[in-house]
Amino acid sequence: MLSLRLARGAHPLVLLRRVLVAGAASGVGFLLLCTLGYAVAHPKATDESLVRLLWCAVPLAAVVQFAIAVARNDPATRPRDGMDAIGFGPARLSLLAATSTALSCGLGSAVALLVYLQLRGDLGGTPSGATASLLGGNAALPWAATLTLLGLLPALAAGACVIALRPRKERRASAPEPDPSGAPATTPPKAARPGYAGLPWGVAIIACGLALEAYVGHAPAPAPNTLLALPGQDGGASPGLLGGWLLASLGLVLAGPGLTHWCGTLLSAGRPGPMRLLAGRILQDAAHRLGRPLGVLCAVAAAALAASELYGAAWEPAGPRPFGPLTGLGAAVVMACVTATAITAALDTRQSRSETTAALLRLGVPASVLRGAAAVRTGVLLAVLAPLTWLIAELTTLPLTR
């Protein structure tokens, strides 16, 4: 009940984010229902049904990531004065965020079920032959499996929110104890900057993924005129090549915070002016919060560029299509979710430094300097991440196009 009251009194921008989460959840729910319909209509094609179900894991993970970003940026779930007195501490607030996320995802799954049943003709009307073949309209749906699949996304999103937003105990630096011999006390060495922690591992994993793809070598492209043109199916790419793609994407995700921190260090190098110094320090401070979503966005963009290069020649005005409609829907959900997650993370970092921005304005810093610093940050991130994304995409497709 408290989740519904907070949702009713939330800011319009917060409501828009929750509506976007519900819309993305409806897309994933529709994909899961289409997979179930195909499995029921083709009981002997177990391998293809399993591959379709595994393909749904990619958009499902993207929606869960977006739901976590929206829950983390929700003002209603942040600790506030007086909430502890009524029994809503940090732990209860994380459960409240998980409940709100489950409600949004559940609403999207319900909409997906209504749309799916309407297109199948179960709610009235006669579907076309292509629609019936795509949705498995010739076979009845098992309602137990249907409700299980539709409840998968709300459960995963709520559990991920509880884990991501759980209260963490901060380590307090203890004061150095005096030496009995009279020697001056020494302070413990400072910990390394956390943004660089994943950079070596990310670079190493990217190198392993590209090496695996080069080792796999040549492989023909998936055959056209399939509803779901998937790697490893109908003469498609081998599992080794798919594993190389996944490793390269994982490396980009791990290297995202380090690359963002490195961009901030590059801006602050030498004798920077006020604008460049401010932009660099902000990037260094926001590397951990902003770098991971940017890494995911770069990984998805690299996969999209690689797919367009591999299958672009197969798109003809009157010829067969290399991708089916469900593949296009899944790709659209993934791209929209990772882009919205990156934008939400950027807004979250801006909100976290609102007090610092207000202090700078009170000190007389012109607003044009703050806007210029934002433009410099955006420019340097594009200058570093865009060529890297293109390079990863080119190296990914090199074993297939040479």
Side-chain angles (χ1 to χ4, degrees):
M1 183 61 67
L2 181 59
S3 299
L4 295 177
R5 289 182 178 274
L6 291 176
R8 187 180 62 180
H11 192 271
L13 183 59
V14 177
L15 292 177
L16 177 61
R17 293 170 187 163
R18 292 176 180 173
V19 170
L20 291 178
V21 171
S26 64
V28 174
F30 188 81
L31 287 175
L32 290 173
L33 291 174
C34 290
T35 302
L36 178 62
Y38 181 87
V40 172
H42 305 82
K44 297 183 179 180
T46 55
D47 295 338
E48 187 173 355
S49 300
L50 180 60
V51 170
R52 287 169 177 256
L53 183 61
L54 292 177
W55 169 248
C56 295
V58 179
L60 189 145
V63 174
V64 170
Q65 184 200 19
F66 179 42
I68 293 175
V70 171
R72 182 181 285 115
N73 202 31
D74 192 349
T77 58
R78 293 178 179 175
R80 288 175 291 181
D81 296 336
M83 296 296 289
D84 291 335
I86 60 175
F88 280 90
R92 295 287 298 273
L93 287 178
S94 64
L95 294 177
L96 180 63
T99 304
S100 301
T101 302
L103 289 176
S104 300
C105 295
L107 177 62
S109 299
V111 172
L113 179 61
L114 291 177
V115 173
Y116 181 78
L117 294 178
Q118 179 65 33
L119 293 178
R120 276 171 51 100
D122 295 340
L123 300 180
T126 303
S128 61
T131 303
S133 176
L134 180 64
L135 306 180
N138 298 326
L141 287 178
W143 285 104
T146 301
L147 296 179
T148 300
L149 284 179
L150 290 181
L152 183 62
L153 177 58
L156 289 178
C161 285
V162 171
I163 296 175
L165 302 180
R166 71 183 187 276
R168 295 177 175 85
K169 296 181 179 180
E170 298 181 357
R171 297 181 179 178
R172 297 180 179 179
S174 58
E177 298 180 357
D179 195 346
S181 62
T186 58
T187 58
K190 294 182 179 181
R193 289 177 180 176
Y196 284 118
L199 185 57
W201 290 101
V203 173
I205 293 177
I206 291 174
C208 291
L210 297 178
L212 179 60
E213 293 172 2
Y215 177 77
V216 170
H218 300 280
N225 199 17
T226 57
L227 293 177
L228 274 172
L230 296 172
Q233 180 185 8
D234 294 332
S238 62
L241 185 62
L242 180 60
W245 285 355
L246 293 178
L247 282 178
S249 300
L250 178 62
L252 278 174
V253 174
L254 292 178
L259 289 174
T260 306
H261 199 284
W262 181 80
C263 290
T265 305
L266 182 64
L267 283 176
S268 304
R271 294 184 176 180
M275 184 182 301
R276 190 156 62 92
L277 178 62
L278 182 61
R281 295 305 185 192
I282 290 177
L283 275 184
Q284 289 177 351
D285 182 67
H288 182 72
R289 187 177 301 178
L290 184 61
R292 194 65 57 83
L294 288 179
V296 175
L297 180 60
C298 291
V300 173
L305 290 175
S308 64
E309 184 172 351
L310 287 177
Y311 306 109
W315 289 90
E316 300 176 359
R321 295 291 185 262
F323 298 111
L326 300 184
T327 308
L329 176 60
V333 170
V334 171
M335 183 60 71
C337 286
V338 297
T339 304
T341 302
I343 296 175
T344 303
L347 294 177
D348 189 17
T349 57
R350 180 182 178 183
Q351 181 66 28
S352 64
R353 62 175 186 271
S354 59
E355 296 181 359
T356 304
T357 303
L360 290 175
L361 292 176
R362 286 195 302 267
L363 290 175
V365 177
S368 59
V369 175
L370 300 179
R371 291 192 296 266
V376 170
R377 293 195 304 270
T378 304
V380 72
L381 286 176
L382 288 176
V384 172
L385 297 180
L388 178 62
T389 302
W390 176 82
L391 180 62
I392 295 297
E394 289 294 323
L395 294 177
T396 299
T397 58
L398 186 61
L400 296 178
T401 55
R402 65 183 179 183

